[in-house]
Amino acid sequence: MRTWISSLTVTILAVAGIAAAQPATGGAQTPAWQYTMVAFSNASDRDMDVYESANGTDFQPLRLSAYRPPSGLVRDPSIFRHTDGFYYVTYTTVDGANIGFARSSDRINWTYLGFWPVPFCCALLPGTGDGTGSASPPGSSGSAGFSDGPSLSPFTTKAWAPEWFVDGDRVSVILSMSTGGGFVPYLMTALDPSLRIWSLPVPLAGIGADHIDTTVVKVGSTYHAFTKNETKKVIEHAVAPSVTGPYTFVPPGNWGSPVEGPSVVQLPDGTWRMYFDAYTEGRYLYSDSADGLNTWSTPQELPGLSGTVRHAGVIREPA
């Protein structure tokens, strides 16, 4: 009996030693992530393409021509995943002052939800006139004043480049609005969980007219806006204590010109990545910031997508 117990003890100790020698798994494994990109292409702005990536750099098609709205275009799509589990996109229709909406359960099959007619913007704001108003030289007509002066009309004629912005349980869309002259960034907030009813638009104070493609990310208590200056054709960086401002411009990255359509995500290691469109060169680029959006790396081409995608929206989530 003593011999049997001794042998059993040696066996147990040996098994325990083997177990202790095995590398740790489970909680020590690196979490898997997936990145989803939605974009229109040089070939078609009537169709939205969907790509996916495991690392945020190497994207492969998930489904090309995944969504085509019943009318209008599907430019500048932005994507997020709602608390109901569905993916939602909003996009530029170029069909009057409307932005479009669609949703999907799997990122492959999309359902058109409709469009939202944006009501008012830009009245009396500097730099929003279109040069055809009563304040213009004799012989012109309309209601929007000088091109560099204030709009004399409150009626929106263009609502472009909508971008999702989620802050806690509040879902909003930041969009660029115009009465015919310079674009101004505004924020609309969903008034119901189904994202069917929206607040009146509120301007992002401090950014001003002639800015488009505005996207915002929150870091700590600071809101960072990245927006295209339509005059200089560069992407600028502004910060504020609130999503609606007032914003103050800070030194941007050296992202080049002309560029547009910034989309910003945070990588698993805390680095921030901006994707953007060097649209006249047929190149799609990205730039990283490892110090909290203060300094940025030299832009690099996104492999396989340059010359194909235009103004993409990107999200990261657990795979």
Side-chain angles (χ1 to χ4, degrees):
M1 178 63 72
R2 285 195 298 271
T3 301
W4 181 83
I5 292 174
S6 177
S7 298
L8 178 62
T9 301
V10 170
T11 301
I12 292 173
L13 291 173
V15 170
I18 293 173
Q22 296 300 313
T25 58
Q29 289 180 323
T30 301
W33 298 93
Q34 72 179 18
Y35 298 77
T36 303
M37 172 185 286
V38 291
F40 72 101
S41 70
N42 278 321
S44 173
D45 54 9
R46 291 287 311 280
D47 299 282
M48 184 183 77
D49 300 326
V50 183
Y51 300 85
E52 65 178 358
S53 171
N55 60 13
T57 303
D58 302 298
F59 284 86
Q60 300 297 324
L62 181 61
R63 185 172 184 178
L64 301 179
S65 300
Y67 170 66
R68 171 177 283 197
S71 65
L73 306 181
V74 60
R75 297 176 69 95
D76 319 326
S78 175
I79 184 173
F80 93 109
R81 193 171 191 181
H82 200 10
T83 53
D84 62 6
F86 283 92
Y87 296 89
Y88 287 79
V89 292
T90 181
Y91 54 91
T92 302
T93 67
V94 196
D95 185 12
N98 303 308
I99 56 174
F101 293 94
R103 75 175 186 178
S104 171
S105 62
D106 57 9
R107 303 175 296 152
I108 297 172
N109 302 289
W110 292 85
T111 300
Y112 173 68
L113 295 179
F115 62 84
W116 181 259
V118 179
F120 304 106
C121 90
C122 314
L124 304 181
L125 288 180
T128 55
D130 68 1
T132 62
S134 58
S136 296
S140 53
S141 62
S143 61
F146 289 109
S147 59
D148 60 349
S151 171
L152 304 181
S153 168
F155 297 105
T156 306
T157 58
K158 296 178 182 177
W160 288 10
E163 288 280 337
W164 294 109
F165 177 74
V166 181
D167 195 0
D169 59 356
R170 293 170 63 88
V171 178
S172 301
V173 169
I174 297 169
L175 66 161
S176 305
M177 299 164 62
S178 169
T179 62
F183 282 97
V184 179
Y186 277 74
L187 178 112
M188 296 193 314
T189 300
L191 300 179
D192 72 321
S194 68
L195 310 181
R196 302 276 185 160
I197 304 174
W198 295 87
S199 71
L200 290 174
V202 178
L204 272 58
I207 292 180
D210 218 25
H211 287 87
I212 196 171
D213 299 352
T214 303
T215 188
V216 174
V217 295
K218 184 181 181 183
V219 182
S221 59
T222 301
Y223 295 80
H224 295 256
F226 298 90
T227 183
K228 178 192 178 186
N229 182 314
E230 274 282 61
T231 301
K232 299 178 180 179
K233 309 299 182 185
V234 297
I235 295 173
E236 298 179 332
H237 180 188
V239 297
S242 166
V243 64
T244 53
Y247 282 89
T248 302
F249 285 97
V250 297
N254 185 17
W255 298 308
S257 174
V259 289
E260 65 184 12
S263 180
V264 183
V265 299
Q266 190 171 31
L267 305 182
D269 65 358
T271 297
W272 289 91
R273 173 164 294 180
M274 179 193 294
Y275 303 90
F276 54 98
D277 188 353
Y279 55 98
T280 63
E281 300 175 3
R283 299 196 304 152
Y284 217 84
L285 307 175
Y286 70 93
S287 175
D288 292 343
S289 174
D291 60 0
L293 307 177
N294 291 309
T295 60
W296 294 82
S297 66
T298 301
Q300 300 182 62
E301 285 199 45
L302 204 58
L305 296 186
S306 284
T308 301
V309 302
R310 296 290 314 280
H311 195 142
V314 183
I315 60 168
R316 176 179 70 93
E317 61 180 334

